[in-house]
Amino acid sequence: MEEMEEELKCPVCGSFYREPIILPCSHNLCQACARNILVQTPESESPQSRRASGSGVSDYDYLDLDKMSLYSEADSGYGSYGGFASAPTTPCQKSPNGVRVFPPAMPPPVTHLSPALAPVPRNSCITCPQCHRSLILDDRGLRGFPKNRVLEGVIDRYQQSKAAALKCQLCEKAPKEATVMCEQCDVFYCDPCRLRCHPPRGPLAKHRLVPPAQGRVSRRLSPRKVSTCTDHELENHSMYCVQCKMPVCYQCLEEGKHSSHEVKALGAMWKLHKSQLSQALNGLSDRAKEAKEFLVQLRNMVQQIQENSVEFEACLVAQCDALIDALNRRKAQLLARVNKEHEHKLKVVRDQISHCTVKLRQTTGLMEYCLEVIKENDPSGFLQISDALIRRVHLTEDQWGKGTLTPRMTTDFDLSLDNSPLLQSIHQLDFVQMKASSPVPATPILQLEECCTHNNSATLSWKQPPLSMVPAEGYILELDDGNGGQFREVYVGKETMCTVDGLHFNSTYNARVKAFNKTGVSQYSKTLVLQTSEVAWFAFDPGSAHSDIIFSNDNLTVTCSSYDDRVVLGKTGFSKGVHYWELTVDRYDNHPDPAFGVARMDVMKDVMLGKDDKAWAMYVDNNRSWFMHNNSHTNRTEGGITKGATIGVLLDLNRKTLTFFINDEQQGPIAFENMEGLFFPAVSLNRNVQVTLHTGLPVPDFYSSRASIA
């Protein structure tokens, strides 16, 4: 939050705002500072004389230097106050934070009243030290400006966050650290002062003492004083004038200048403006993120310029030394040229870094200030400053978009030495233009930290070299077949990240990428070796399942809401390798016959698994089982399932077989042979059954040994 501190300081005194007021130009001033910079205007410039002449159009009259027109919403209203005919022009000064301040034409009168209540000289004028708009005060003086209670709240929170341990408020000399706070008295006490001034007896025994940190939070969360109307000081703000863009009270609507204006509910406009400010901040946040990345790019450019400079100097020295004495004098001149170019590039980039850093700090400060303002729960106070903040956020965002995030200098040294002329041409030797930018894009770089595999999918990410000047129109990603065969194209497009699905499990793939534009293609990137998972981890797929299927346990457990059989598939399909998974029976009521096996993606979902030619299954009850495909029942086998039973499914696509197990024992012979294509794990069940899927399992040892013997 330190970068926000600039937003919280008065442009006149340079300290944190004290009792800030909001000028019509939306800038803020301390009340005391506002009084200190008041000046007195000639009688002809007074609000009364303007109203009498019919030229006044608002509560506050802005001064124009040529006095040809008054400020209104239709003109710019900008100008710098430089004095009047009745008083000599006074040179402006600078406040501690660098803003020009216009000193008063006469010393302010001594008064014991607060800055807001003390009388101001007749026909007083105040000039905003930030935008230099000048305006004449009416009869209310400084009381006519609303107080910025939202800003006070933000400053209070900021100072509390920076404050050290809370001190006792009753110690006479060196305050000790507070140990409790009384919520009723609103006072922090150390232990001696609490025993002396707040004994736990009598009426004080009912007071609630809390730790100091909790007391600080209670103070911060306590409701603030409700704001009152500047025109009717006894009335609270209740509505929002859309035309004047300010909170108003009911008397303003009945008898004041807002009686004919469009008004809306204060709470609704509060929420609307908060939403608008939040949306504006989203755009500015993106610009700030881009600026941070841009600063990283600029700092990398500094290093690259340094490296390129060293490399270029080495080449230049080597070429010049080859020409022996005849080249030595010219060598010094050429080195001077290179160093000058080097310093020029560094100066340009460092200046841009400095400029962008300052701008980013200001942007971050504004963002943090706006976020703190959004936390305020005071609708009227928020609405007093929301329009100005929204404009500032949009203006700051626009400033980032005007080519600010484009490097002003390249890192290349566009110079090359031609050492082919004869010795008599040495004195005419000079730099020639370096090779033209290659029309072919630079070779892409695979981002290894973002490339990964999951199950039988591979995700690859790449980028252009940071200092590449030739844009790429697209990229071509190639993978081999997983067996060291030829590469094939798996993606062509503009994206720089691609996920390739449907690869083989337990396989090694080689990947490479190249860029292309209208001129041609770049060289291939370095080849990346990817290893897919040895075993498959997957869950059931809600997207392809029947609507009666009920999922739980991260889609690993399924049951059904219907008495009819419904089908659900696994998320991962298999076309190569050996795969084994198990299902445990969590609930088994009334002797149903669930089916387990594999299926194509387009299998029928509203009948038992195996009824069509898209599924290969074993269905089983409490006594026996059958294999079924295309509604053909075969191989009745004794032995059924109960609650707690485990069904294993072994799909061996190397041998093209499907085998089933119950409680680690093979159920019947090999169920199906000649299995080719893409298969998904599948189950069909009704409401009397609930099963849980277990994946990532190795192939059973006895089957592995049997396969090796075969």
Side-chain angles (χ1 to χ4, degrees), residues 668-699:
I670 294 176
F672 302 99
E673 298 180 336
N674 299 319
M675 305 289 291
E676 292 183 326
L678 179 65
F679 301 94
F680 291 84
V683 176
S684 69
L685 42 69
N686 63 16
R687 65 184 302 167
N688 293 316
V689 185
Q690 177 175 300
V691 298
T692 296
L693 176 65
H694 304 276
T695 64
L697 304 176
V699 176

Side-chain angles (χ1 to χ4, degrees), residues 356-375:
C356 192
T357 301
V358 172
K359 196 170 189 63
L360 178 61
R361 183 172 64 253
Q362 295 172 348
T363 299
T364 305
L366 176 59
M367 289 169 53
E368 293 177 351
Y369 172 57
C370 291
L371 290 174
E372 291 299 321
V373 169
I374 291 176
K375 296 177 183 177

Side-chain angles (χ1 to χ4, degrees), residues 538-542 545 548-560 568 584 586-587 685 689-694:
F538 59 93
F540 289 114
D541 183 16
D548 291 338
I549 297 293
I550 301 173
F551 295 84
S552 60
N553 188 25
D554 292 332
N555 299 332
L556 293 174
T557 301
V558 293
T559 184
C560 183
V568 57
T584 56
D586 302 326
R587 179 167 52 80
L685 42 69
V689 185
Q690 177 175 300
V691 298
T692 296
L693 176 65
H694 304 276

Side-chain angles (χ1 to χ4, degrees), residues 140-366:
R140 295 172 295 173
L142 296 179
R143 291 184 293 104
F145 298 118
K147 295 183 178 180
N148 194 338
R149 288 175 289 102
V150 172
L151 179 56
E152 284 186 299
V154 174
I155 293 173
D156 182 49
R157 287 200 301 271
Y158 179 79
Q159 290 179 325
Q160 288 180 4
S161 67
K162 306 285 286 186
L166 293 169
K167 301 296 183 180
C168 175
Q169 295 178 270
L170 297 181
C171 291
E172 295 183 356
K173 294 184 178 179
K176 299 180 180 178
E177 184 174 342
T179 57
V180 296
M181 174 202 171
C182 176
E183 289 189 336
Q184 285 71 31
C185 302
D186 195 22
V187 175
F188 290 94
Y189 299 94
C190 63
D191 286 336
C193 292
R194 176 177 58 83
L195 295 175
R196 184 177 70 254
C197 305
H198 200 290
R201 58 180 180 270
L204 299 179
K206 298 181 180 180
H207 287 199
R208 184 166 180 261
L209 302 179
V210 297
Q214 182 178 344
R216 170 187 284 175
V217 174
S218 300
R219 276 186 170 182
R220 187 186 309 169
L221 298 180
S222 61
R224 297 186 180 273
K225 182 180 178 181
V226 179
S227 62
T228 59
C229 179
T230 55
D231 293 329
H232 310 93
E233 297 183 355
L234 299 180
E235 300 296 335
N236 296 334
H237 290 141
S238 58
M239 300 294 288
Y240 180 80
C241 178
V242 177
Q243 181 174 339
C244 300
K245 297 183 179 181
M246 61 182 295
V248 295
C249 68
Y250 81 95
Q251 284 194 16
C252 293
L253 303 180
E254 291 183 355
E255 58 191 40
K257 62 181 181 180
H258 305 279
S259 58
S260 60
H261 294 176
E262 178 187 359
V263 295
K264 291 188 178 181
L266 194 66
M269 294 302 295
W270 174 45
K271 293 180 180 179
L272 176 62
H273 282 229
K274 271 198 172 185
S275 174
Q276 291 176 350
L277 181 57
S278 298
Q279 292 175 2
L281 278 177
N282 289 336
L284 186 59
S285 177
D286 293 339
R287 289 291 182 269
K289 181 179 179 181
E290 293 175 4
K292 291 179 181 178
E293 296 173 352
F294 181 62
L295 282 174
V296 173
Q297 179 184 356
L298 291 178
R299 294 188 178 101
N300 291 337
M301 287 179 65
V302 172
Q303 180 180 357
Q304 190 65 38
I305 290 174
Q306 298 279 18
E307 294 174 356
N308 289 353
S309 174
V310 172
E311 180 182 357
F312 190 81
E313 289 181 17
C315 293
L316 181 61
V317 169
Q319 290 177 343
C320 290
D321 286 345
L323 300 177
I324 315 175
D325 296 336
L327 294 176
N328 283 336
R329 291 186 299 272
R330 193 61 176 170
K331 180 179 67 175
Q333 299 174 2
L334 297 176
L335 281 174
R337 288 273 304 277
V338 173
N339 288 328
K340 182 178 179 181
E341 180 71 7
H342 171 211
E343 295 300 326
H344 173 67
K345 287 179 178 289
L346 289 180
K347 183 178 184 304
V348 172
V349 175
R350 285 169 175 164
D351 288 346
Q352 193 171 10
I353 289 176
S354 175
H355 174 74
C356 192
T357 301
V358 172
K359 196 170 189 63
L360 178 61
R361 183 172 64 253
Q362 295 172 348
T363 299
T364 305
L366 176 59

Side-chain angles (χ1 to χ4, degrees), residues 652 655 699-710:
D652 187 346
R655 302 174 64 187
V699 176
D701 293 336
F702 73 90
Y703 183 85
S704 300
S705 60
R706 183 193 308 170
S708 62
I709 293 175

Side-chain angles (χ1 to χ4, degrees), residues 480-485 504-510 528-532 576:
D480 66 5
D481 60 359
N483 290 320
H504 299 309
F505 284 87
N506 195 22
S507 299
T508 301
Y509 288 86
N510 295 303
L528 178 64
V529 180
L530 301 166
Q531 175 70 44
T532 55
K576 179 185 175 183

Side-chain angles (χ1 to χ4, degrees), residues 17-23 27-31 34 116 126 142 145-148:
Y17 286 103
R18 295 183 296 275
E19 299 181 341
I21 59 176
I22 308 175
L23 300 180
H27 292 127
N28 301 285
L29 286 177
C30 301
Q31 276 191 352
I126 187 171
L142 296 179
F145 298 118
K147 295 183 178 180
N148 194 338

